[in-house]
Amino acid sequence: MSLGFVITVNRPQNREPVVYARSASIQLKRLPGYAYFVVNLKRFDKVHLGLGIRSYRNKITVNRTDENSLAAFAYLVGDSILDVNCERITDVQLLQKRLIESLVKYGACNTVVERPESAIAIHNTRVMSNFLSSTCTTDPSMPGDVICIAQREIVRHKANQSKTIPKSVYRHVEPAKDFNGMLFLFL
C-alpha cells in the first residue's frame, strides 16, 4: 500500500526578477525588508486596468485594485510602482499615461514593483497608506465671508503700512543685587 500526496506550487506567471541592467537604468536602491520584481501586464479585451494609485514623496503607491481587473492579478495594496517599460516614474499622471499608451499600442507593458515583506516594512506601508487615505488631495473651498474679511484686512494693512512706525518691543533690564550678592531681575 503506497501513500501519496500531491503538492501544487502556484507561481505567478507575470512576475520575474529585476535584472541588473534595468536596476542600473532606473537607479534602483533596494531597501531591506522589500522585494523587487518586474510585473508583466498583458491587455485582454473587455478587462479594464482597475488601478488606484497615489503619490507621496516621489513614490507612487497602489491604494486600490478593482476586482477582476488587470491590476488585481499584478499588484497588492501597498506596492510601489517604480518604473514603466524601463522609464523611472515619480508622477501619477505620467504613470497612468505610460501604462495606457503601452497597453493600447503594444497590448502589454511591464513595471518594476517594490513590495514590503518584513514586518517593519509592512507596518511602515500601512502607516503611510492610512496617512494617504486620511489626507485630501485638494484643499477645501474657502467660504465667501472669509475671503471678504481677508481682502478687507489686506486693504486696511496696506493703507496703514506707511503711517505706522514700528515700535521696539525690546526692554533693557538692569540686574539688581540684594545684600547677599545674589542677582535678581525685575521685570
Side-chain angles (χ1 to χ4, degrees):
M1 177 171 171
S2 80
L3 295 173
F5 58 91
V6 176
I7 297 176
T8 305
V9 177
N10 186 11
R11 289 192 178 122
Q13 295 177 352
N14 63 342
R15 295 185 196 138
E16 59 189 51
V18 182
V19 295
Y20 178 76
R22 188 161 186 174
S23 294
S25 73
I26 63 169
Q27 299 173 346
L28 179 63
K29 294 181 178 100
R30 295 177 185 257
L31 301 172
Y34 291 85
Y36 296 87
F37 51 89
V38 176
V39 169
N40 298 304
L41 292 173
K42 188 174 180 182
R43 190 177 117 211
F44 294 101
D45 290 335
K46 298 181 182 179
V47 178
H48 65 287
L49 181 58
L51 179 66
I53 52 176
R54 290 194 106 161
S55 177
Y56 180 69
R57 293 187 177 176
N58 292 328
K59 196 176 233 185
I60 299 170
T61 305
V62 175
N63 68 342
R64 176 186 52 79
T65 59
D66 294 344
E67 191 174 332
N68 296 323
S69 65
L70 292 177
F73 299 106
Y75 306 108
L76 297 176
V77 172
D79 285 354
S80 293
I81 301 173
L82 305 177
D83 86 338
V84 176
N85 296 336
C86 298
E87 178 186 353
R88 181 76 175 193
I89 304 285
T90 59
D91 180 62
V92 170
Q93 286 80 21
L94 185 61
L95 176 86
Q96 291 171 337
K97 181 180 175 186
R98 293 291 191 261
L99 279 174
I100 293 168
E101 279 177 355
S102 184
L103 288 170
V104 169
K105 189 173 182 179
Y106 304 111
C109 74
N110 55 52
T111 62
V112 171
V113 173
E114 175 186 77
R115 179 171 290 167
E117 284 193 330
S118 72
I120 293 172
I122 292 169
H123 173 73
N124 291 342
T125 302
R126 283 186 184 152
V127 168
M128 185 187 70
S129 178
N130 290 340
F131 170 74
L132 289 176
S133 66
S134 67
T135 58
C136 290
T137 56
T138 59
D139 290 334
S141 60
M142 187 73 67
D145 60 333
V146 173
I147 294 171
C148 290
I149 293 169
Q151 289 172 339
R152 188 173 58 233
E153 289 300 311
I154 290 170
V155 169
R156 186 179 66 79
H157 176 70
K158 286 183 178 179
N160 293 331
Q161 192 172 14
S162 61
K163 296 178 186 175
T164 58
I165 300 171
K167 184 178 176 183
S168 175
V169 294
Y170 175 72
R171 189 170 63 159
H172 182 72
V173 178
E174 291 290 328
K177 292 184 179 181
D178 72 350
F179 56 92
N180 291 329
M182 298 180 73
L183 291 176
F184 288 96
L185 291 178
F186 295 103
L187 300 175

